[in-house]
Amino acid sequence: MRLANISLAVVITASGSALVTAAPAVAAPAAHSEVSTQASSAAMARWRTQRHEALGPYKGYFSTSAWQRPSGVRVMQVKARCWGNDSQLKVDLWFLRRWGGGERVAKSGKWRCNGKYGIVRIRNAGHSKYWATFSLSKKHTVEYWVQYYK
């Protein structure tokens, strides 16, 4: 009977040490999930600037050069602002149709030249070539950002 008790004690201590060594292995996936959460937050969707430029000072009607929509991007916007006296800035976001279909205004917006930017945003963007036109009644510098959400 004594041998049975001793062998049982050895088994209990051996299994106890096995649980102790198994505990860090259980904790390791938790640390891994924390690292993977940080990596996935870096890949989250956000607004990215494709172009940032200041044009002017101009008066009247002028436009930007054309840009290509990045692959897989469905939401695009143009943020623009101007400073100065009581004039208004009108922004048109244009796209080029496929197969020789011409060009068309996708979205338009109008706001005052008070230094705050306005946004012209399109969703479900599907064309590849875009540009923006600006219209001012007085001479101003226009600062604009072309951004996409991905």
Side-chain angles (χ1 to χ4, degrees), residues 38-53 67-79 119-122 144-150:
Q38 292 171 353
S40 66
S41 66
M44 288 176 37
R46 64 182 172 92
W47 286 104
R48 296 182 177 151
T49 301
Q50 184 176 3
R51 178 183 293 186
H52 175 224
E53 191 175 12
W67 65 84
Q68 297 287 329
R69 176 184 58 88
S71 177
V73 170
R74 301 305 280 177
V75 181
M76 294 185 66
Q77 72 181 14
V78 174
K79 288 173 39 175
I119 297 174
V120 176
R121 180 180 299 152
I122 59 171
Y144 75 94
W145 295 262
V146 175
Q147 296 177 325
Y148 61 90
Y149 191 75
K150 186 170 183 180

Side-chain angles (χ1 to χ4, degrees), residues 11-89:
V11 170
I12 290 173
T13 55
S15 65
S17 65
L19 289 176
V20 171
T21 57
V26 172
H32 175 69
S33 66
E34 182 180 318
V35 172
S36 64
T37 304
Q38 292 171 353
S40 66
S41 66
M44 288 176 37
R46 64 182 172 92
W47 286 104
R48 296 182 177 151
T49 301
Q50 184 176 3
R51 178 183 293 186
H52 175 224
E53 191 175 12
L55 301 174
Y58 292 117
K59 176 184 176 182
Y61 185 80
F62 55 98
S63 72
T64 67
S65 58
W67 65 84
Q68 297 287 329
R69 176 184 58 88
S71 177
V73 170
R74 301 305 280 177
V75 181
M76 294 185 66
Q77 72 181 14
V78 174
K79 288 173 39 175
R81 66 179 179 171
C82 60
W83 305 263
N85 41 25
D86 298 327
S87 63
Q88 286 192 339
L89 172 66

Side-chain angles (χ1 to χ4, degrees), residues 95-129:
F95 65 89
L96 183 64
R97 290 180 170 177
R98 295 182 182 135
W99 302 295
E103 52 197 33
R104 186 166 184 196
V105 174
K107 197 78 165 217
S108 181
K110 185 186 259 189
W111 51 89
R112 295 180 48 168
C113 286
N114 57 5
K116 298 179 183 177
Y117 63 82
I119 297 174
V120 176
R121 180 180 299 152
I122 59 171
R123 293 167 176 80
N124 203 18
H127 297 277
S128 60
K129 194 173 204 176

